[in-house]
């Protein structure tokens, strides 16, 4: 029907695997095609464990914004990083505690091993309600000091893959797209 198949993407893979490039590409895709496909302005809210990393991902999109939308489309002021298309679509970078108060059509969590769970469960995810085809994309490498955010999201999806007896969960939008670089379940750890 033209709506997205997955309202959440949970991605865990090693460093230098292309996570930042993928996030940048999807955010720009939402800003350039989202209104036509989903019928509403796109608001991309981007947060992560450290603002400089989030800024760096957005910085890679500045050239595109400059060439396609003009110099006024880019705001670089500290704490106000934003790209805005002429149609009003925005990509904003915020600290974890500053994600509240905006509708979200695409929520990005970067290096979520160090992101507080309530940043998404209380800030980003509720802000996607009543949006047309919203999506939340959590990405991270593994880390020994990881918060429960990525660990719980991955575990829920892995349990769902194993639980084949659950015939009631036929709604694909209830399932996350799990992109994980790991050994298959039951593999010999040696």
């Amino acid at each position: 029907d033209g709506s997205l198949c997955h309202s959440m993407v949970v991605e865990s893979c090693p460093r230098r695997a292309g996570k930042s490039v993928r996030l940048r590409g999807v955010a720009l895709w939402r800003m350039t095609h989202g209104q036509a496909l989903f019928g509403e302005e796109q608001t991309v809210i981007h947060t992560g464990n450290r603002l400089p990393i989030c800024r760096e991902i957005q910085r890679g999109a500045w050239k595109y914004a400059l060439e396609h939308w003009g110099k006024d489309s880019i705001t670089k002021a500290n704490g106000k990083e934003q790209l805005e298309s002429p149609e009003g679509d925005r990509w904003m970078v915020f600290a974890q505690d500053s994600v509240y108060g905006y509708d979200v059509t695409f929520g990005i969590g970067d290096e979520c091993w160090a992101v507080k769970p309530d940043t998404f469960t209380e800030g980003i995810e509720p802000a996607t309600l009543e949006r047309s085809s919203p999506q939340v994309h959590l990405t991270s490498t593994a880390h020994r000091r990881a918060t429960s955010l990525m660990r719980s999201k991955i575990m829920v999806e892995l349990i769902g893959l194993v639980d084949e007896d659950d015939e009631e969960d036929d709604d694909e939008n209830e399932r996350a797209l799990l992109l994980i670089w790991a050994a298959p379940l039951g593999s010999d750890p040696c």
Side-chain angles (χ1 to χ4, degrees):
D1 67 358
S3 60
L4 295 177
C5 296
H6 301 283
S7 59
M8 180 166 290
V9 176
V10 179
E11 175 182 26
S12 179
C13 57
R15 300 195 185 290
R16 312 306 307 158
K19 296 181 301 293
S20 298
V21 173
R22 197 167 17 268
L23 289 175
R24 182 182 310 117
V26 175
L28 282 173
W29 181 85
R30 290 294 295 232
M31 290 183 70
T32 55
H33 303 290
Q35 282 195 44
L37 292 171
F38 307 128
E40 65 184 350
E41 284 183 359
Q42 298 297 293
T43 305
V44 178
I45 303 293
H46 186 164
T47 192
N49 72 326
R50 294 179 49 238
L51 280 178
I53 300 301
C54 299
R55 287 184 196 117
E56 186 65 16
I57 293 170
Q58 189 189 65
R59 187 184 72 80
W62 292 350
K63 182 178 179 183
Y64 178 91
L66 183 64
E67 291 174 0
H68 291 85
W69 303 326
K71 65 179 177 72
D72 291 337
S73 67
I74 306 168
T75 304
K76 300 178 186 178
N78 194 18
K80 298 179 182 174
E81 293 82 0
Q82 175 176 293
L83 296 181
E84 185 167 359
S85 74
E87 292 78 26
D89 303 295
R90 297 179 295 165
W91 175 1
M92 298 175 278
V93 173
F94 289 121
Q96 293 182 48
D97 294 326
S98 302
V99 299
Y100 299 89
Y102 293 89
D103 287 334
V104 177
T105 56
F106 184 52
I108 300 173
D110 191 30
E111 290 297 351
C112 286
W113 65 267
V115 173
K116 296 178 282 188
D118 62 345
T119 298
F120 280 86
T121 60
E122 296 177 13
I124 301 276
E125 290 174 12
T128 65
L129 296 175
E130 299 184 19
R131 302 281 45 94
S132 176
S133 285
Q135 193 171 59
V136 174
H137 192 133
L138 305 177
T139 186
S140 188
T141 56
H143 200 284
R144 64 182 176 82
R145 294 187 315 230
T147 67
S148 64
L149 177 63
M150 284 298 284
R151 289 184 293 146
S152 64
K153 297 287 187 186
I154 290 170
M155 189 56 61
V156 164
E157 294 312 313
L158 287 175
I159 290 169
L161 290 173
V162 172
D163 185 11
E164 296 175 3
D165 297 329
D166 187 7
E167 298 293 330
E168 296 177 23
D169 187 16
D170 291 334
D171 184 1
E172 284 295 319
N173 283 324
E174 298 298 317
R175 303 285 318 187
L177 173 61
L178 180 61
L179 304 171
I180 187 166
W181 176 290
L185 289 173
S187 295
D188 182 1
C190 298

